[in-house]
Every structure is written in C-alpha cells, then in structure tokens.
C-alpha cells in the first residue's frame, strides 16, 4: 500500500459552467481520490486531491483534458506538506 500524498491543482481556462467540477468528481471516484473541486471568482477551478501517487498522477492527467465543453489553458500543481483528511470528494 502506498502512502497518501496531497496536491493543490489550479485549472485555468473555460472551466466554469461546463460541468468541470462534476467531471473532477467522477474522475475522483474512478481513481479513489478524496478532496474537493471549487470554483473561484476569477474563473479558475481549484482541486484539492488526496490519494496514492500513481492514482493522483492519472487523475491529474485527466484533469488536464477536462470535459468536452471545457477548454483547459493551464494547470498548476502544488504539493501540500500537510495531508488533509477527507472521507469523500466533494463539489463546493
């Protein structure tokens, strides 16, 4: 069993109003990732993701594509030193 890691992912582009957070939620269930997806006022989507390293890598690769109606222009990824405890993946 791998130890858990946590990432803060910021997705920029046409990612609000196109089902992006639900897309992230669906992927999180598939990859057993916990955390949340949140819209920011500036049009970005923030994702906090906790899971094992291999699953998170695949999860993030899929986030870079987004749902069909979205347009992802940039994705930034930050390692979180503290591993937050989440029981589920939520849409906020």
């Amino acid at each position: 069993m791998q130890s858990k890691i946590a990432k803060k992912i910021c997705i920029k582009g046409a990612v609000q109003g196109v089902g992006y957070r639900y897309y992230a939620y669906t992927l999180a269930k598939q990859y057993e990732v916990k955390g949340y997806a949140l819209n920011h006022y500036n049009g970005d989507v923030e994702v906090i993701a906790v899971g094992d390293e291999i699953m998170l890598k695949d999860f993030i690769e899929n986030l870079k594509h987004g749902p069909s109606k979205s347009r992802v222009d940039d994705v930034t990824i930050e390692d979180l030193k503290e591993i937050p405890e989440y029981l589920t993946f939520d849409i906020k």
Side-chain angles (χ1 to χ4, degrees), residues 27-60:
L27 286 175
K29 290 181 84 169
Q30 179 181 345
Y31 290 105
E32 300 176 10
V33 171
K34 309 298 185 211
Y36 65 81
L38 168 75
N39 280 345
H40 278 283
Y41 293 111
N42 67 358
D44 297 348
V45 171
E46 175 184 290
V47 173
I48 299 295
V50 178
D52 75 61
E53 188 172 359
I54 293 169
M55 297 295 248
L56 273 185
K57 180 182 176 207
D58 292 341
F59 173 72
I60 292 167

Side-chain angles (χ1 to χ4, degrees), residues 34-92:
K34 309 298 185 211
Y36 65 81
L38 168 75
N39 280 345
H40 278 283
Y41 293 111
N42 67 358
D44 297 348
V45 171
E46 175 184 290
V47 173
I48 299 295
V50 178
D52 75 61
E53 188 172 359
I54 293 169
M55 297 295 248
L56 273 185
K57 180 182 176 207
D58 292 341
F59 173 72
I60 292 167
E61 282 306 308
N62 280 280
L63 288 179
K64 291 177 181 179
H65 300 288
S68 61
K69 293 182 180 180
S70 71
R71 186 192 76 245
V72 176
D73 294 334
D74 189 41
V75 176
T76 57
I77 304 161
E78 176 184 335
D79 293 327
L80 298 179
K81 292 179 183 180
E82 303 264 336
I83 309 295
E85 289 292 325
Y86 295 103
L87 299 175
T88 61
F89 190 92
D90 296 316
I91 297 172
K92 295 187 174 189

Side-chain angles (χ1 to χ4, degrees), residues 9-38:
I9 306 138
C10 183
I11 302 96
K12 297 179 182 294
V15 292
Q16 289 191 13
V18 293
Y20 193 92
R21 289 178 300 155
Y22 183 74
Y23 174 79
Y25 170 82
T26 303
L27 286 175
K29 290 181 84 169
Q30 179 181 345
Y31 290 105
E32 300 176 10
V33 171
K34 309 298 185 211
Y36 65 81
L38 168 75

